[in-house]
Amino acid sequence: AQSVTQLGSHVSVSEGALVLLRCNYSSSVPPYLFWYVQYPNQGLQLLLKYTSAATLVKGINGFEAEFKKSETSFHLTKPSAHMSDAAEYFCAVSRANAGGTSYGKLTFGQGTILTVHP
Amino acid sequence: EAQVTQNPRYLITVTGKKLTVTCSQNMNHEYMSWYRQDPGLGLRQIYYSMNVEVTDKGDVPEGYKVSRKEKRNFPLILESPSPNQTSLYFCASSLRTAGSQGYTFGSGTRLTVV
């Protein structure tokens, strides 16, 4: 079974400050990991993904995430927050089988709402 | 433009009245999936389909049906909707390796059952 836990349902930062959104996963096999962003009244947009290549993954809008197997974590960071980063962020996990392909099941965390203050 | 299209965007219905939410993708994706989003629970998978005529249950399939007769379409059917199915629904699609590529999501359907 696979699961995702996002620590903190709400995170508030000042504009220009570091953004850190935490995600821990549980998977019995090597996982694929994703961060999605959802702006108000919109669907989900893929920010970045980890698929067993480089452990530091760079995504869109200046975000990046680091896969740490020993900590089973995949935290999302951005050095300097912008007002336009205010949104809800979701971490998600899927799993690969022994052949390296993957299943259609993508499991999401509960989401973290990011607020950016001027 | 490559996209996943859901209809309708908003729907209010009464308990017990059968409804269908349509989903179509123009990317020739093999994988399609339905999720529901509820506050504090994130997104939970209802059903997914790996290809035409191949579907499987997700985490919360009760009260829902799906079919995949064509590659591009994956409708969600509520035979007898109940108020606890009031939610925001998303359809998504992906290439065959859904787990490594991630899904492309539609804009959502907000369903209210009264």
Side-chain angles (χ1 to χ4, degrees):
Chain A
Q2 57 196 36
S3 65
V4 174
T5 301
Q6 292 182 238
L7 300 176
S9 58
H10 290 81
V11 170
S12 180
V13 301
S14 299
E15 192 172 19
L18 171 72
V19 175
L20 171 60
L21 304 182
R22 301 178 186 273
C23 172
N24 288 89
Y25 70 90
S26 171
S27 177
S28 57
V29 296
Y32 297 133
L33 294 158
F34 306 85
W35 277 100
Y36 283 85
V37 60
Q38 184 180 31
Y39 299 103
N41 299 313
Q42 295 187 26
L44 278 76
Q45 179 182 4
L46 181 65
L47 265 182
L48 48 81
K49 61 185 178 185
Y50 166 76
T51 58
S52 76
T55 56
L56 182 61
V57 181
K58 294 188 183 299
I60 61 173
N61 301 338
F63 284 93
E64 63 181 37
E66 186 172 8
F67 173 69
K68 292 188 177 180
K69 184 178 179 180
S70 61
E71 299 177 8
T72 61
S73 68
F74 190 58
H75 301 331
L76 181 70
T77 61
K78 182 174 181 178
S80 178
H82 192 272
M83 297 294 290
S84 61
D85 295 326
E88 188 163 16
Y89 293 80
F90 293 93
C91 183
V93 63
S94 70
R95 61 191 179 100
N97 62 17
T101 55
S102 57
Y103 299 95
K105 184 173 178 61
L106 191 62
T107 300
F108 284 84
Q110 307 93 313
T112 298
I113 296 173
L114 176 66
T115 303
V116 182
H117 297 288
Chain B
E1 180 187 353
Q3 59 185 358
V4 177
T5 303
Q6 296 177 230
N7 280 296
R9 288 292 308 275
Y10 300 91
L11 179 60
I12 301 174
T13 190
V14 296
T15 300
K17 185 176 181 181
K18 180 179 179 180
L19 66 91
T20 299
V21 183
T22 64
C23 174
S24 179
Q25 51 93 3
N26 62 0
M27 296 167 281
N28 201 35
H29 285 172
E30 292 90 354
Y31 276 52
M32 296 187 75
S33 185
W34 276 102
Y35 285 84
R36 62 177 287 174
Q37 182 181 10
D38 301 288
L41 297 177
L43 282 85
R44 295 177 292 168
Q45 194 174 45
I46 303 171
Y47 272 94
Y48 64 97
S49 169
M50 290 153 280
N51 215 323
V52 175
E53 302 291 4
V54 182
T55 63
D56 204 355
K57 297 177 181 178
D59 296 315
V60 289
E62 295 78 18
Y64 304 95
K65 284 178 58 177
V66 293
S67 67
R68 188 91 180 274
K69 295 186 179 353
E70 304 167 282
K71 197 172 186 179
R72 64 183 293 126
N73 295 323
F74 191 45
L76 180 69
I77 303 160
L78 284 71
E79 295 271 4
S80 183
S82 63
N84 64 12
Q85 293 179 297
T86 292
S87 187
L88 178 58
Y89 292 85
F90 287 102
C91 181
S93 73
S94 174
L95 289 169
R96 181 177 57 84
T97 52
S100 62
Q101 298 299 318
Y103 280 112
T104 299
F105 283 81
S107 298
T109 295
R110 187 168 292 280
L111 172 66
T112 302
V113 183
V114 298

